[in-house]
C-alpha cells in the first residue's frame, strides 16, 4: 500500500485553489489532507457518450495530483445512471441508453481516463455491482429519503417544471443513485463538475 504524503502548506494551497471552483466544506477537506490518512476519492463518470470531455480532464488531473500523494482514486463507471441519462443542465428529458450502448462507451472512457490517472493505482467500480442486486423495495426505501420539494431545488428541474416541460419520475432517481454510489464504495470525498453540485 502506498504511503500518504502530507502536503506542505504551499502545496496544500495549490491543491485547494488551482483548477477548483468550490470545496464543501473546504476546511474539513484540508484537515483530512493534513491528517496523513489515506482518503477514498470518488468520481462518477456516466458513459453516456463515447468520449470524455475537457471538463472531465480537469477533474481527473486533480485526482491524479491526489493519487500521487498516496490517496485512493475510485472511479465509478455509471453503467446504471448512464441508462437513465444525466438530467443536469438539460432543458428536456434525455433518451435512455441501452446496456450495449453504455458498455461500448465505457470501454472508450476507460482507455481515455488512463491517459490521466494512474491505472495501477486506480480502483474501478461499476454501479451494476450493487444496483443489479437492488429490488423494488430497495429503490422505494432509497426514494423515501428525499422529497419532491428537494428535487425541485435542482435548477434544471425547477426551470423545466416552471415552464411546464416534462420531468420524468425516472430522472429523480439519477441524483439518488449517484449519491448512493458514495455509500456503496465508502467514499471520503466526492469530485464532480459544477453541474453535479446538487447530486454531490
Amino acid at each position: 500500500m502506498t504511503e500518504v504524503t502530507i502536503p506542505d502548506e504551499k502545496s496544500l494551497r495549490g491543491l485547494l485553489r488551482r483548477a477548483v471552483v468550490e470545496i464543501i466544506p473546504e476546511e474539513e477537506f484540508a484537515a483530512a489532507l493534513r491528517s496523513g490518512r489515506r482518503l477514498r476519492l470518488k468520481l462518477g463518470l456516466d458513459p453516456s457518450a463515447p468520449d470524455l470531455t475537457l471538463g472531465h480532464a480537469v477533474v481527473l488531473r486533480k485526482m491524479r495530483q491526489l493519487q500521487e500523494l498516496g490517496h485512493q482514486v475510485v472511479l465509478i463507471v455509471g453503467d446504471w445512471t448512464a441508462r437513465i441519462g444525466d438530467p443536469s443542465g438539460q432543458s428536456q428529458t434525455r433518451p435512455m441508453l441501452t446496456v450495449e450502448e453504455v458498455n461500448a462507451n465505457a470501454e472508450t472512457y476507460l482507455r481515455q481516463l488512463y491517459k490521466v490517472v494512474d491505472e495501477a493505482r486506480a480502483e474501478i467500480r461499476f454501479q451494476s455491482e450493487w444496483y443489479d442486486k437492488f429490488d423494488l423495495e430497495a429503490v422505494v426505501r432509497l426514494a423515501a429519503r428525499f422529497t419532491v420539494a428537494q428535487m425541485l431545488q435542482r435548477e434544471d428541474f425547477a426551470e423545466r417544471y416552471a415552464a411546464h416541460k416534462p420531468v420524468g419520475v425516472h430522472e429523480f432517481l439519477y441524483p439518488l443513485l449517484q449519491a448512493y454510489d458514495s455509500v456503496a464504495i465508502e467514499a471520503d470525498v466526492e469530485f464532480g463538475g459544477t453541474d453535479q453540485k446538487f447530486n454531490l
Side-chain angles (χ1 to χ4, degrees), residues 23-74:
I23 300 172
I24 305 169
E26 183 175 319
E27 194 45 51
E28 186 177 319
F29 181 54
L33 291 173
R34 288 185 190 106
S35 75
R37 185 170 60 90
R38 189 171 196 235
L39 303 175
R40 289 179 62 77
L41 313 171
K42 172 225 172 188
L43 174 65
L45 297 169
D46 281 354
S48 53
D51 295 308
L52 293 174
T53 66
L54 188 56
H56 289 123
V58 171
V59 177
L60 289 168
R61 287 190 63 198
K62 183 58 66 178
M63 296 190 89
R64 175 64 185 248
Q65 290 175 330
L66 293 161
Q67 192 179 42
E68 289 173 356
L69 291 175
H71 298 289
Q72 179 64 57
V73 166
V74 184

Side-chain angles (χ1 to χ4, degrees), residues 66-139:
L66 293 161
Q67 192 179 42
E68 289 173 356
L69 291 175
H71 298 289
Q72 179 64 57
V73 166
V74 184
L75 299 163
I76 306 286
V77 176
D79 57 334
W80 264 95
T81 48
R83 289 183 235 171
I84 295 172
D86 180 2
S88 299
Q90 299 301 308
S91 58
Q92 60 188 12
T93 301
R94 280 192 175 183
M96 295 174 74
L97 299 178
T98 66
V99 172
E100 294 76 24
E101 290 170 319
V102 170
N103 288 340
N105 291 341
E107 280 186 45
T108 64
Y109 263 34
L110 292 174
R111 283 197 305 269
Q112 294 168 39
L113 70 86
Y114 290 142
K115 294 179 186 293
V116 183
V117 299
D118 182 351
E119 178 179 1
R121 295 185 293 164
E123 181 181 330
I124 305 298
R125 303 288 297 273
F126 284 74
Q127 289 174 321
S128 54
E129 291 176 41
W130 43 93
Y131 291 132
D132 280 355
K133 298 171 189 156
F134 265 44
D135 58 14
L136 185 56
E137 180 182 358
V139 173

Side-chain angles (χ1 to χ4, degrees), residues 134-198:
F134 265 44
D135 58 14
L136 185 56
E137 180 182 358
V139 173
V140 171
R141 284 187 185 281
L142 183 61
R145 295 181 172 269
F146 297 89
T147 67
V148 171
Q150 286 174 307
M151 291 298 170
L152 290 177
Q153 289 175 4
R154 275 182 60 131
E155 189 176 330
D156 48 0
F157 287 161
E159 288 174 2
R160 286 162 55 192
Y161 182 74
H164 302 288
K165 291 183 177 177
V167 179
V169 172
H170 72 286
E171 291 180 277
F172 285 173
L173 294 176
Y174 184 89
L176 303 182
L177 297 177
Q178 191 181 51
Y180 187 81
D181 290 344
S182 297
V183 174
I185 63 140
E186 300 179 348
D188 294 304
V189 182
E190 296 177 299
F191 286 77
T194 54
D195 62 328
Q196 298 294 317
K197 185 175 176 179
F198 178 92

